[in-house]
């Protein structure tokens, strides 16, 4: 049964004590663990909100999209930790923030807790919150990965709306509405307004590009830390291990040579593929890269396919459930937009290669091979 969240009900539950545990997962926690979570969340600065929900890769929404819906239902700033399924007997906590400066400590807390308790939901959630609220995330991450290269930042973290972080997306939306209004009333407005709106759009686009790059740098460095911490053993899948290394090196090379928005997202896709390959290698399993959502790779792995007109003609493209639902209702899905000059365009129309023609790997599973193609 696919999980269908009620954002308003979740928001109301969070308003009570800052913790929402879906009834389907309530038996994973003891009463003492739940009261302990509520106590840690109470009075935390920045505010902390905990969501424990039965999200899977087949769900209609991602963790970030769920948080965005909850935030719209009842705006509350702070850090949102979302615990979700991550495979058979495995869990993952994801961090999303709204108007909160975390120095990446929320993300580091999830990495440490996930490494310590990958299959124990209650302990992983409790450890994440305890590390973050206790202010020890950087120290404990450094102890777990002594040779860590993971950088911290004063930016807020991973929430996404239309492939952008909420404050940026809201600001961009305001600017776009203003630009549309200008076009409708252009004969009545002085031409000086044009330059003003273009400058505002450029500032917002620059801020979003910087945030994408920060996330790519953080996740790429974290992958490097995991690679150095793990040792390949007899029985591990060597080809899969090599794939993890290759993806890490490719992501690093891209970040070293380019500051472009598309390349930051491409590096992020490569880092996440590499992390998935590394997990398979550590378990001695073979690995095949999974396609991300064609319309927006930040939506996560594709779970279905849908018809879409591409440069090569109409074809089935892999996508997430939310995008497929939009198409089924004859709505345009939330396509990743990239800054181009004084405007933003859909990434597949931006001429950025190899990302546009491959759909950031959605249309070409062997993305590393495409990166080496000189065309």
């Amino acid at each position: 049964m696919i999980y269908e969240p009620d954002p308003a009900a979740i928001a109301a539950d969070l308003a009570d004590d800052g913790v929402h545990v879906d009834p389907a997962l309530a038996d994973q926690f003891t009463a003492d663990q739940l009261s302990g979570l509520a106590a840690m969340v109470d009075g935390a600065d920045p505010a902390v909100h905990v969501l424990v929900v039965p999200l899977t890769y087949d769900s209609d929404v991602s963790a970030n999209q769920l948080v965005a819906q909850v935030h719209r239902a009842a705006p509350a700033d702070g850090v949102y930790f979302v615990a979700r399924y991550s495979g058979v007997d495995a869990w993952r906590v994801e961090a999303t923030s709204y108007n909160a400066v975390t120095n990446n400590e929320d993300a580091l807390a999830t990495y440490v807790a996930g490494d310590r308790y990958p299959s124990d939901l209650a302990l992983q959630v409790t450890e994440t919150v305890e590390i973050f609220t206790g202010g020890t995330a950087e120290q404990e991450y450094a102890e777990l990965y002594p040779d860590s290269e993971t950088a911290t930042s004063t930016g807020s973290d991973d929430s996404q709306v239309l492939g952008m972080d909420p404050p940026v997306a809201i600001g961009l939306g305001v600017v776009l509405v203003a630009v549309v209004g200008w076009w409708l009333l252009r004969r009545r407005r002085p031409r000086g307004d044009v330059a003003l709106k273009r400058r505002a759009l450029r500032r917002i686009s620059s801020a979003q590009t910087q945030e994408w790059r920060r996330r790519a740098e953080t996740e790429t460095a974290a992958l490097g830390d995991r690679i150095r911490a793990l040792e390949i053993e007899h029985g591990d899948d060597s080809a899969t291990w090599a794939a993890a290394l290759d993806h890490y090196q490719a992501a690093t090379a891209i970040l070293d040579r380019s500051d472009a928005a598309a390349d930051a997202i491409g590096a992020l896709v490569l880092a996440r593929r590499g992390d998935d390959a590394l997990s398979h290698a550590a378990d001695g399993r073979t690995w095949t890269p999974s396609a991300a959502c064609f319309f927006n790779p930040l939506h996560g792995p594709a779970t279905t396919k849908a018809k879409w007109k591409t440069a090569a003609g109409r074809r089935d493209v892999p996508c997430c459930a939310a995008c497929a639902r939009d198409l089924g209702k004859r709505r345009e899905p939330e396509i990743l937009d990239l800054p181009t000059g004084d405007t933003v365009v859909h990434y597949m129309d931006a001429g950025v290669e190899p990302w546009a023609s491959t759909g950031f790997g959605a249309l070409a599973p062997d993305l590393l091979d495409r990166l080496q193609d000189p065309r």
Side-chain angles (χ1 to χ4, degrees), residues 4-24:
E4 296 182 358
D6 182 341
I10 294 174
D13 198 16
L14 290 175
D16 182 30
D17 62 2
V19 179
H20 167 78
V21 178
D22 189 88

Side-chain angles (χ1 to χ4, degrees), residues 247-290:
H247 280 77
Y248 167 68
Q249 291 169 353
T252 301
I254 288 171
L255 291 173
D256 284 345
R257 71 169 185 254
S258 174
D259 293 324
D263 288 330
I265 295 171
L268 191 57
V269 169
L270 290 167
R272 290 177 177 179
R273 282 191 173 196
D275 189 68
D276 187 41
L278 184 61
S279 295
H280 279 70
D283 293 339
R285 295 177 291 148
T286 58
W287 176 76
T288 301
S290 58

Side-chain angles (χ1 to χ4, degrees), residues 294-318:
F294 166 77
F295 299 106
N296 189 330
L298 300 178
H299 287 175
T303 59
T304 185
K305 289 188 175 182
K307 293 287 186 183
W308 186 257
K309 185 177 181 180
T310 69
R314 192 169 180 81
R315 62 185 295 182
D316 287 327
V317 297

